[in-house]
Amino acid sequence: MKIFHNTHHAEHAGRQEMFRGRLVDCHEVPDRLRFVLDELQRRPVGQLLTPDAALDVNAAMARIHAPDYLAFLARAWDDWVALDPANAERDALPSVWPLASKHGFRTDAPPLNFAARLGQYAFDSGTPLMAGSWAAARGGAACALAAAQAVLGGERFAMALTRPPGHHAGPNYMGGYCFINNAAVAAQALLDGGLQRVAVLDVDYHHGNGTQTCFDERSDVFTASIHGDPRTEYPFFLGHADERGHGAGEGFNLNLPLPRGTEFDLWWATLQNALQAVADFAPHALVVPLGLDTFEGDPISGFKLRSADYLQLGRAIAQLGLPTVLTFEGGYAVAEVGVNTVNVLEGLKG
């Protein structure tokens, strides 16, 4: 197994986020990845690598994200500081958003004011942007691309071990701590590498709204997600069971929302349904946005999985018999996230 580590991840270290109506210390912190690296030192389950600097990361990101959005992210910090030099000492959070066009707000005439442009590309105020955010996000995309290429080259399992996470980022928006959708980058890279069908199985507590949106009208990517019920759980506005895809993608999206408080037995039974749906699609490879915030001790989630359950998750994924890319997503019980992640990887190896 090849595990591609983002050496730029710690450059993204937010001070505060808006969480349920108040500013709090960020839940998505560099220690999340550090604890995984520490556990990998104790229990090495693969080869720890960094992506080749020659990878065309910009092209890979452009296969998923809109050019104006990528250009915005690349310049965002400089524009934030240009707005007010004192901003160099504080993170950027959006404070104004355009609603859908039917309400009269226009997005075809982008504002010059940076605060307004930040709101145009964000769907929440919980995703702080700082000086190192772009380098960290771009480094994560490089890890996802490298992992996909490793699988195309014959590796059975490969992982993009990176933060910030990615599965909430859509073609032209950020949110949920995410800027670049690493899982979508990996899935597209697998297709561009010659595979005809790829499945995405998202096991994060929070619905991968960005990934669903990226592939909503496509039949070459089947997306399945097990997550908290969007009537009560973030990101709220996508993730319902009746969302099956649109146009050519109708029938190629499966959402399996579960109530807060779900314990392992129900979650496991639901996973079997998702695995069967993936198998029925007969993909040539699998991408797993690996969220560990289903853990019983997670501070912002509500499922009840225990550390040993992640070994079973890894074994279940392996039983599909598919070349698989994993991307590191949520998991905010920081002290336990390393054990839980490496348990999945050990389960993959049988």
Side-chain angles (χ1 to χ4, degrees):
M1 184 187 308
K2 292 184 177 179
I3 303 169
F4 294 92
H5 162 224
N6 181 3
T7 57
H8 296 283
H9 82 93
E11 296 175 38
H12 176 77
R15 297 172 176 88
Q16 289 185 306
E17 63 177 270
M18 183 68 73
F19 181 71
R20 297 173 185 169
R22 59 193 177 93
L23 283 172
V24 301
D25 292 341
C26 286
H27 293 99
E28 205 290 295
V29 294
D31 273 354
R32 297 179 59 241
L33 198 142
R34 183 178 66 80
F35 273 89
V36 179
L37 292 173
D38 288 348
E39 189 66 20
L40 284 169
Q41 290 229 333
R42 284 188 287 271
R43 290 190 288 159
V45 292
Q47 187 180 8
L48 196 62
L49 304 164
T50 56
D52 189 329
L55 289 175
D56 195 346
V57 183
N58 291 339
M61 293 190 296
R63 294 287 284 141
I64 294 298
H65 295 286
D68 61 309
Y69 173 63
L70 293 172
F72 168 78
L73 286 179
R75 286 190 48 84
W77 181 253
D78 290 341
D79 289 348
W80 171 241
V81 175
L83 189 67
D84 180 351
N87 283 345
E89 301 303 319
R90 48 181 174 253
D91 298 343
L93 286 171
S95 58
V96 58
W97 297 265
L99 296 176
S101 58
K102 67 180 180 180
H103 297 287
F105 289 85
R106 294 180 59 180
T107 57
D108 62 325
L112 298 178
N113 182 280
F114 172 79
R117 285 188 289 120
L118 179 59
Q120 181 173 336
Y121 292 112
F123 72 87
D124 68 15
S125 56
T127 307
L129 187 150
M130 63 223 60
S133 297
W134 174 241
R138 189 178 182 280
C143 290
L145 178 58
Q149 291 193 352
V151 163
L152 288 168
E155 198 78 16
R156 186 176 177 194
F157 302 113
M159 183 177 190
L161 181 57
T162 182
R163 51 166 299 280
H167 73 147
H168 292 304
N172 61 350
Y173 61 79
M174 62 188 225
Y177 311 142
C178 303
F179 300 93
I180 299 296
N181 195 311
N182 301 315
V185 166
Q188 186 62 54
L190 291 168
L191 294 167
D192 291 343
L195 304 187
Q196 294 183 343
R197 293 186 304 280
V198 173
V200 178
L201 174 62
D202 193 322
V203 296
D204 193 282
Y205 179 78
H206 303 96
H207 175 250
N209 59 300
T211 313
Q212 176 176 312
T213 303
C214 288
F215 300 116
D216 186 60
E217 298 182 358
R218 291 172 53 172
S219 60
D220 54 350
V221 179
F222 176 80
T223 51
S225 178
I226 307 169
H227 52 268
D229 189 334
R231 293 175 298 177
T232 61
E233 309 304 314
Y234 183 92
F236 303 112
F237 300 106
L238 274 180
H240 297 272
D242 63 353
E243 297 160 15
R244 302 183 63 251
H246 292 89
E250 185 172 356
F252 294 93
N253 183 71
L254 174 66
N255 286 329
L256 298 166
L258 294 171
R260 176 173 280 266
T262 290
E263 297 190 358
F264 180 67
D265 286 349
L266 176 57
W267 187 90
W268 181 254
T270 306
L271 176 66
Q272 304 314 304
N273 293 336
L275 293 171
Q276 185 60 57
V278 168
D280 290 345
F281 178 65
H284 298 115
L286 177 69
V287 176
V288 179
L290 182 63
L292 290 308
D293 46 3
T294 50
F295 179 63
E296 62 182 352
D298 197 275
I300 61 172
S301 304
F303 289 168
K304 302 294 183 182
L305 274 65
R306 299 179 178 178
S307 292
D309 297 332
Y310 294 103
L311 284 163
Q312 294 197 54
L313 171 59
R315 292 173 187 139
I317 293 169
Q319 286 173 3
L320 283 171
L322 293 168
T324 300
V325 173
L326 301 97
T327 61
F328 186 60
E329 303 289 349
Y332 308 102
V334 176
E336 292 86 3
V337 73
V339 170
N340 295 341
T341 301
V342 178
N343 280 359
V344 174
L345 302 183
E346 280 200 344
L348 289 173
K349 298 183 73 173

